[in-house]
Amino acid sequence: MLILAAGTLTYGYLIDQRAQLNAPAPTPILYDRSGAFLAQIGHVDNASGRIDYGYWPLEQLPDRVVKATLALEDRRFYEHVGVDPYAVGRAAWQNFVGAGRRSGASTIAMQVARMQQPESRTFMHKSLEAGTGILLTLRYGREAMLAQYLRLAPYGNGSHGIAHASRLYFDKPVADLSWAEIALLSAIPQSPTRMNPLRPGGLRHAVQRGHQILNALAKQNVMNADEAEIAHRQLASMRMPDLPRRPDALHLILRFHDLIENGQVAPASASAPLIHTTIDLALQADVTALAREYLDHWRSAGAQQVGVMVVSRQTGEVLAQVGSSNYYDRHAGAFDYTRTQRSPGSTLKPFIYALGFENGVLKPTDMLLDLPEGASGIGDADREFLGPMLPRQALANSRNVPATNLLRSIGLETTFRFLRELGLHDLETPADYFGLSMAIGSLPTRLDKLMRAYGALANDGQLRDLRWAFEQPQPQSVRVISLDTARLITSFLSDPQARLPSFHRYGSLEYPFPVAIKTGTSQGYRDAWAMAYSEKVIVGVWIGRGDSGTMNRMTGAGSAARLVHAVIDRVHGNKPGDIADARFPTPPDRKPMQVCVVNGQTNDNSCSQTLVEWLKPDETPKLAALPSRPDGILKSLPISATAGRSQGFSLANADTSNPQIHIAISTPARNSQIWRNPEQPAAFDRLALKADVQPHVPQIVWYVDGQPFAVTDPDRTVFWPIQSGEHRFQIRLPYRDETSAVVPVYVQ
């Protein structure tokens, strides 16, 4: 008796532990923005490696599905409490005599118990299933058992639940299924492998059992003769559509998996967990093909991988993402390079200039120095210095020295915090760790973070999260840059004239419609970047290697920008020869003015090198000039750099207490022969003028052909616009008689 009692208690405890309704979470199906199938996100069985899908709950039990399911699976479902004594007796007798076709005795409730806790088919486990089925029915009721069965039942090809199977096989809600489709699906759970409808033999077996279900329903008067005849005819001629195939975009699908796992994207309905992504699959396929095509051209230069993103400028919706050349590429293709930290090269410079304008450290007419002096060991890839430059030119030419000097003026910590506010990093490392090289690529970031930050420049200073799905909650955008600054930076990045001489006209950076673009190249040619935005899209491209190895002089302008150009052409439908008469919105409180590039002054018709700059009324620079002389009226004399002014240089008198001052011209050399480049724009055909003055004096005056040309610190290079003919150069001291020897130069 004690043994029996102990066994009964143990049995009761075991079935009580099992008698809970449990189901895996519903697995979503992803569609692109046009409703095309993208992917399913399933549950992975770590033991077997099998991926299961479905488990969608039913808000209401469809009456026709319930009747078709019970027609053969559990005819006396409403007459027993989880175990059918008649079926058990019949199965026991057939097993005993061993004759004829054997039948099972599992009810819907027992099958639910087995699906929730699969075990080997032994007598002990069958008895536990029976007890669990009874307790489940008593505890939750028959309707709940039916709903659980229709959620868990296997329908072949990894699909679980009638609602998911309806979407998978017929791409429709379960409520829209015909009698023939219901009969076919209701047949499959008896043996999902044997009745796999995607195989000819499996479909034949499923159709045969489906006819049996229809006959049973007609016999039960669930359907009339006409309905039964139509259903039999449709079932007999049924041809299963091909299952939707996942596109070649595994990195993209894995990103959606992570977004769903982290709760950033969720279906609107648990009973129909469909996620409508912002992805344009046609564009995704084209961008993938372009990325592979262009990367193939660059493999000989050491490039091995590519990452591309395309985002709608107006909405922030991600239209395409290519994480690598191929997930299975032997060159670290499994890494998603849109989410990999890399050196951004010069792509952070626009934000440093923006912060300079925001903090009042910089004005559009200031002259920034691109000179060896004060370069702190930082140079450019071309190993040249272009002298004093307007901010527009310095950014558009991507010069390193002006950017690092501007960063120094703003402050490392201030810049570091601003870049964190833009979401470009989340580091707690001190800003001093990166130093001034933060402006040229030492602060690592990711392509997707750059896309979000460039969205702020493209959208008048409003920062918002990238949107991956229409079901994704969208927080309010945050203003991080003023509208004025954002539009000013956009005008810099979209000005092809300002990019000279570093980037030639009509190359990979120029378009027939407005495009703001910034390239970047990291130290040692390890990373090549291009970030661009047009009226429609923001496009970002990274080129490099998974092992962070160096490439053979692969620059952002020479590689990534070309791929960006191809992608933007695809989005805009641009054809060779197309030209659009359009421009980006201009800063509302600024007016266009011609500014002399050699001194930042407004043009008084005496300057041959000008750029259009957008200025506020209080930013119009004052012209600096020396008093007139008897031999003619002097031209405006530029102050060569605002950095000079900030260090205390002014038009004060030279020190007259030192009578011995050596003055000489070191560049150009006497009797130099110079040839003009007829293809070079006049604004950038310049001759560098350098002085040798001992001891140092605050200022000198450069004369060309007997006329004063510029007032400057003697240690700073001055640039003279080249003109054909013979010219004579000389240096004089203001308010003193010392002069240098005259240096003749011949220009052809």
Side-chain angles (χ1 to χ4, degrees):
M1 289 292 293
L2 288 175
I3 295 175
L4 179 61
T8 302
L9 288 173
T10 302
Y11 180 78
Y13 173 79
L14 289 175
I15 64 172
D16 181 68
Q17 294 299 305
R18 295 165 178 251
Q20 310 289 333
L21 292 182
N22 301 312
T27 63
I29 295 179
L30 309 180
Y31 297 92
D32 88 333
R33 64 190 304 112
S34 300
F37 176 83
L38 177 59
Q40 297 187 82
I41 306 297
H43 296 298
V44 179
D45 186 327
N46 294 326
S48 64
R50 186 185 70 250
I51 302 178
D52 292 330
Y53 304 98
Y55 305 106
W56 295 6
L58 292 167
E59 291 183 341
Q60 293 182 336
L61 291 176
D63 184 64
R64 295 194 300 172
V65 171
V66 168
K67 287 182 167 59
T69 300
L70 298 179
L72 297 184
E73 283 295 321
D74 197 347
R75 298 175 187 176
R76 285 171 292 278
F77 176 77
Y78 290 104
E79 300 171 12
H80 61 71
V81 290
V83 174
D84 185 353
Y86 176 82
V88 171
R90 182 191 62 209
W93 172 253
Q94 289 177 346
N95 291 336
F96 177 74
V97 300
R101 183 175 62 85
R102 299 186 179 186
S103 62
S106 293
T107 61
I108 292 291
M110 293 172 65
Q111 291 184 60
V112 167
R114 183 170 66 249
M115 287 187 288
Q116 291 190 159
Q117 192 162 344
E119 292 174 313
S120 58
R121 307 298 293 276
T122 64
F123 176 78
M124 174 59 71
H125 291 151
K126 289 289 288 185
S127 65
L128 286 173
E129 287 173 10
T132 303
I134 292 172
L135 190 53
L136 281 170
T137 303
L138 294 174
R139 182 173 286 174
Y140 296 103
R142 290 185 174 86
E143 296 298 311
M145 298 309 298
L146 267 173
Q148 185 75 345
Y149 174 84
L150 292 173
R151 181 177 183 177
L152 299 179
Y155 289 85
N157 299 291
S159 175
H160 293 262
I162 188 73
H164 179 268
S166 175
R167 285 283 182 180
L168 179 68
Y169 293 120
F170 300 112
D171 195 24
K172 62 175 68 174
V174 66
D176 294 349
L177 293 173
S178 68
W179 271 118
E181 293 165 340
I182 290 172
L184 181 77
L185 292 181
S186 299
I188 296 173
Q190 186 195 48
S191 180
T193 302
R194 180 170 175 267
M195 298 188 187
N196 184 345
L198 300 183
R199 298 175 180 171
L203 178 60
R204 184 172 63 254
H205 291 305
V207 167
Q208 289 173 355
R209 184 168 173 82
H211 284 304
Q212 296 176 27
I213 292 173
L214 292 175
N215 289 334
L217 292 173
K219 188 175 180 180
Q220 297 168 16
N221 295 320
V222 174
M223 55 197 309
N224 59 41
D226 291 340
E227 289 177 315
E229 180 183 354
I230 294 172
H232 278 294
R233 189 164 59 246
Q234 291 175 341
L235 184 60
S237 61
M238 185 167 291
R239 297 293 180 270
M240 298 298 292
D242 293 333
L243 285 187
R245 296 181 62 86
R246 186 186 71 201
D248 181 14
L250 187 51
H251 281 301
L252 177 62
I253 294 164
L254 290 174
R255 183 186 280 271
F256 277 107
H257 175 273
D258 292 346
L259 290 169
I260 293 168
E261 286 288 310
N262 297 332
Q264 295 172 263
V265 173
S269 169
S271 60
L274 310 177
I275 293 178
H276 301 86
T277 73
T278 60
I279 300 299
D280 182 334
L281 272 181
L283 179 62
Q284 174 75 25
D286 289 348
V287 172
T288 301
L290 286 170
R292 291 172 177 171
E293 175 188 345
Y294 277 74
L295 181 62
D296 285 344
H297 294 316
W298 301 322
R299 288 189 186 277
S300 60
Q304 293 180 347
Q305 283 301 340
V306 59
V308 187
M309 290 187 72
V310 184
V311 171
S312 168
R313 181 186 173 193
Q314 288 79 13
T315 64
E317 297 166 0
V318 181
L319 304 177
Q321 178 211 290
V322 177
S324 73
S325 62
N326 189 314
Y327 184 87
Y328 303 102
D329 190 303
R330 64 187 180 89
H331 297 295
F335 288 95
D336 183 347
Y337 294 99
T338 68
R339 296 199 272 178
T340 303
Q341 297 249 34
R342 304 290 298 212
S343 166
S346 296
T347 58
L348 300 188
K349 286 178 182 173
F351 305 108
I352 296 173
Y353 278 80
L355 185 58
F357 286 121
E358 291 287 279
N359 289 2
V361 175
L362 188 64
K363 295 196 302 294
T365 53
D366 288 343
M367 298 301 292
L368 304 179
L369 298 180
D370 184 26
L371 297 173
E373 296 86 355
S376 302
I378 293 172
D380 287 279
D382 58 11
R383 300 181 181 180
E384 295 181 358
F385 296 91
L386 300 183
M389 309 180 77
L390 292 167
R392 175 179 294 270
Q393 296 171 287
L395 178 56
N397 279 267
S398 195
R399 306 309 292 178
N400 289 343
V401 174
T404 52
N405 286 337
L406 178 59
L407 173 57
R408 182 189 287 112
S409 299
I410 297 170
L412 290 176
E413 191 61 40
T414 300
T415 305
F416 192 69
R417 286 198 307 269
F418 179 62
L419 297 177
R420 182 190 290 125
E421 290 172 7
L422 290 170
L424 289 166
H425 73 90
D426 55 5
L427 302 172
E428 298 300 329
T429 311
D432 290 343
Y433 176 82
F434 301 101
L436 293 177
S437 61
M438 195 188 315
I440 57 174
S442 68
L443 178 66
T445 190
R446 304 175 358 178
L447 178 56
D448 54 0
K449 292 182 177 181
L450 275 171
M451 294 294 291
R452 180 174 178 266
Y454 269 81
L457 293 176
N459 290 284
D460 293 340
Q462 295 281 354
L463 180 68
R464 62 185 169 210
D465 291 341
L466 300 181
R467 193 176 190 191
W468 295 89
F470 293 106
E471 290 83 2
Q472 179 181 356
Q474 196 70 0
Q476 288 290 325
S477 59
V478 178
R479 178 164 295 285
V480 291
I481 305 170
S482 67
L483 180 147
D484 177 75
T485 294
R487 291 189 177 181
L488 194 60
I489 295 295
T490 295
S491 75
F492 288 6
L493 299 178
S494 59
D495 187 346
Q497 191 73 16
R499 299 186 192 115
L500 296 170
S502 298
F503 305 103
H504 62 82
R505 292 296 305 269
Y506 311 113
S508 61
L509 305 188
E510 196 156 344
Y511 294 76
F513 46 84
V515 173
I517 184 166
K518 184 71 191 74
T519 60
T521 307
S522 69
Q523 187 73 22
Y525 300 98
R526 288 175 169 83
D527 308 89
W529 299 82
M531 305 296 300
Y533 51 93
S534 66
E535 177 190 5
K536 294 183 178 180
V537 290
I538 306 168
V539 179
V541 167
W542 168 87
I543 304 289
R545 299 168 58 98
D547 60 3
S548 296
T550 61
M551 299 179 289
N552 184 16
R553 301 191 67 81
M554 285 274 293
T555 65
S559 60
R562 292 172 55 195
L563 178 51
V564 165
H565 206 301
V567 172
I568 290 181
D569 283 348
R570 158 62 178 82
V571 172
H572 283 259
N574 186 52
K575 299 182 177 67
D578 289 351
I579 298 178
D581 184 15
R583 67 181 182 185
F584 285 116
T586 58
D589 298 327
R590 296 177 179 269
K591 301 297 182 184
M593 300 186 71
Q594 292 283 340
V595 175
C596 189
V597 300
V598 297
N599 59 16
Q601 308 295 319
T602 52
N603 187 20
D604 63 350
N605 297 322
S606 65
C607 180
S608 61
Q609 306 175 66
T610 62
L611 284 174
V612 174
E613 190 53 83
W614 294 86
L615 303 179
K616 293 180 178 179
D618 60 349
E619 290 177 346
T620 304
K622 301 291 190 295
L623 297 178
L626 289 177
S628 59
R629 295 168 56 92
D631 55 353
I633 300 175
L634 298 184
K635 297 181 181 179
S636 300
L637 297 177
I639 299 172
S640 68
T642 56
R645 292 200 298 269
S646 66
Q647 295 171 11
F649 295 114
S650 64
L651 292 174
N653 292 344
D655 182 9
T656 59
S657 63
N658 188 346
Q660 298 179 345
I661 299 178
H662 167 76
I663 305 173
I665 296 176
S666 58
T667 302
R670 184 178 180 84
N671 297 323
S672 295
Q673 298 280 342
I674 299 172
W675 284 265
R676 292 189 62 189
N677 182 358
E679 296 181 359
Q680 175 91 341
F684 290 92
D685 230 345
R686 304 184 296 181
L687 175 65
L689 308 179
K690 297 182 180 180
D692 179 17
V693 179
Q694 300 294 334
H696 186 273
V697 296
Q699 294 164 340
I700 59 173
V701 183
W702 281 92
Y703 280 73
V704 180
D705 298 328
Q707 297 293 321
F709 171 68
V711 175
T712 182
D713 182 337
D715 292 335
R716 284 173 168 75
T717 303
V718 174
F719 291 86
W720 171 71
I722 292 176
Q723 301 173 21
S724 298
E726 180 181 348
H727 301 280
R728 301 167 66 82
F729 295 84
Q730 190 179 39
I731 300 172
R732 301 177 187 176
L733 292 182
Y735 309 105
R736 292 185 57 137
D737 295 328
E738 286 91 337
T739 63
S740 71
V742 174
V743 173
V745 172
Y746 304 90
V747 180
Q748 298 182 17

